[in-house]
Amino acid sequence: MERTPRSSPLRPSTGYDKGESEDFSALRRLLLSPEQIQLDRLRQRMDTLVIGPQEVSRVLPDAIRLRAQQDNRLLASLLPITQEALALSIKQSPQLISDSIAPILGSAIRKAISRAMREMFQSLNQTLEYSMSWQGLQWRWEAWKTGRPFVEVVVLHTLRFRVEQVFLIHKKTGLLLNHVMAEGISSQGEAAISGMLTAIQDFVRDSFQQGQEEGLESLRIGDLTVWIEQGSSAILATVIRGTPPVKLRDFLQSTLESLHVQYSDFLKDFHGDTAVFLETRPHLEDCLQAQFVKKRKGLPVVFWVCSGLLLALLGWWAYQATLSHQQWTELLKRIAAEPGIVVTTIQEEDGRTVFHGLRDPLAVDPEQLLEEVGYPPHAAGFHFEPFIALTPEMVRKRAIIVLQPPGSVEVSIEGSRIILIGESSHAWIARATRSASAIPGVSEISLERLINTDVKQFEALQVELEGQAIFFFPGQGRLPDRELVKIQQVKFILQELDEKAMQLGRKPSIDVMGYSSPVGTQPINVSLSERRANNVLEMLNENTFQVLKLSAVGKGVDPDVQSGSGGEQGYSASRRVSFKVVEPGIPLRREVGVRSRP
């Protein structure tokens, strides 16, 4: 028996290592083969990842549904694509779109045309039935007096009842789902009426402690009756003129039940979108029913026709004679009452009535009087000589033309005096004073009740200026920084005052008066107040004004705090410079102080 030689410790045995590696590989395959296969497949799939249509089709419906529940961004994204696709489809295949919507719109169009034709024939039959009867003549007379169409008068007198409007309202939210109206009825805010009916329902239910299923069944407003039918999810309200029969309520209830059956899911899941309820219009239009009174038999139509023609001829002759007499009388009254027209004679010339006399150029055109009273122009003529009328009315017209007053001025005449009332600028008042003497019949112009707006503004600026005060540090002629803003404000007021003074022709003087507190001797206080006034005057820059003259006046101690009353607060108020407007010709009060100019 041969012994197997041992392997050298410095050189590993090759055969032994190879066998051991194969054993471990086999063991690894037995233990990790399934997981290794899965990892290899995942690695291969990640390396060659491509999402195909098949994978997208599995998740697309659920993804769209979930995204639509979150917000409206998906709808906003798809809307332009959908609109463009629909427009392109209509351009490329209009016949296909037409064939698709024809079954939906065809029946609705046929029903609408049939209903319109039926209503037209019904109205025509009623008009023809009553047109040549005694009742018809009375109604024609009523239509002529009231200005209504004859057909409308016939409908109002022969109508037993008519459903004019139908409202379909969501019961829970009170929103209007659909609304139809009868022919000739104008829209008056359907959403507001719907909200009002819902509010009245809630008020009655809360006031009388009724359940949600209970509510008003009818309302009456003048000639109109509102019937309300309650449903589990919707309310059907109808506006009816006249006295409707009881069977109409059964029809309304049946219609509402039918709408609940067809649109139950939409009514329960209603969130404000009323587009789906547009299809309820045919059902609602079926509720627009009407019933008229049948004509009663009377005398033969020929008798009433002949009688009516005879009465019409007699009435027409009497009417024309009375109208002509009234027009002539009214024309004479208007000509006699019109200022600036004097009629001396009235003569018949070539089949026309000719008026002779005098007429002021500013008087009304007599041809216009003919048109106003309705007198035939070919039956009358006028031959007037021009003259200047001095009646108050004509003098006022002439004054308005000459003076051209603004809208804020009213012109009136008392004798030979013009009275101006209101307010205007100084420039217009001066021009009006000069022009008044050129008006015939005017000897004087009164301005007592006329306000000069420029003077008014000048006085307001004067009051505003004299209300300004600029304060100083104790014992100093220097201004605090916070008072510099007031210097600019005073300068703006002086500039406006300067402009107004130029417009009014005035040359006012402005006293810049400086004051000091009682602290210190009289000479020092007077000198300090004068220095303060001069400093302010220098900052105002008198050379920028055209007519204003500014003078600095040192007043010394303020008389209000001379006795020491007011404490430290009164002392602070006395360390100031104030302003006073002095106009020439107005005597000034004697003030204690020194007047100087820088």
Side-chain angles (χ1 to χ4, degrees), residues 380-428:
F382 301 93
H383 183 71
F384 290 133
E385 297 294 333
F387 85 115
I388 300 298
L390 299 181
T391 59
E393 295 85 354
M394 300 307 299
V395 173
R396 182 177 181 274
K397 285 184 178 181
R398 197 166 283 107
I400 291 176
I401 294 175
V402 174
L403 300 180
Q404 297 182 357
S408 58
V409 177
E410 179 183 352
V411 180
S412 61
I413 304 295
E414 288 186 3
S416 61
R417 185 174 65 164
I418 295 178
I419 299 177
L420 302 179
I421 304 172
E423 58 181 22
S424 180
S425 64
H426 179 77
W428 182 85

Side-chain angles (χ1 to χ4, degrees), residues 521-574:
T521 63
Q522 177 68 14
I524 294 176
N525 290 336
V526 171
S527 176
L528 179 59
S529 64
E530 183 179 1
R531 189 164 72 252
R532 289 172 175 171
N534 283 325
N535 288 342
V536 172
L537 180 59
E538 183 178 354
M539 297 176 72
L540 291 176
N541 191 9
E542 181 188 9
N543 296 329
T544 60
F545 307 117
Q546 303 182 51
V547 296
L548 292 183
K549 300 297 181 182
L550 276 65
S551 301
V553 181
K555 294 291 186 178
V557 179
D558 190 350
D560 294 336
V561 295
Q562 183 71 42
S563 60
S565 60
E568 182 59 31
Q569 184 176 2
Y571 289 173
S572 299
S574 65

Side-chain angles (χ1 to χ4, degrees), residues 40 143 174 191 201-202 206 220 222 235 240 246 271 283 360-361 378 489 497 505 538:
D40 294 339
Q201 287 272 52
D202 295 340
D206 295 340
R220 187 163 186 85
I235 298 173
I240 308 170
V246 178
H271 296 291
H283 300 277
D360 190 289
H378 59 82
Q489 184 176 357
L497 200 63
E538 183 178 354

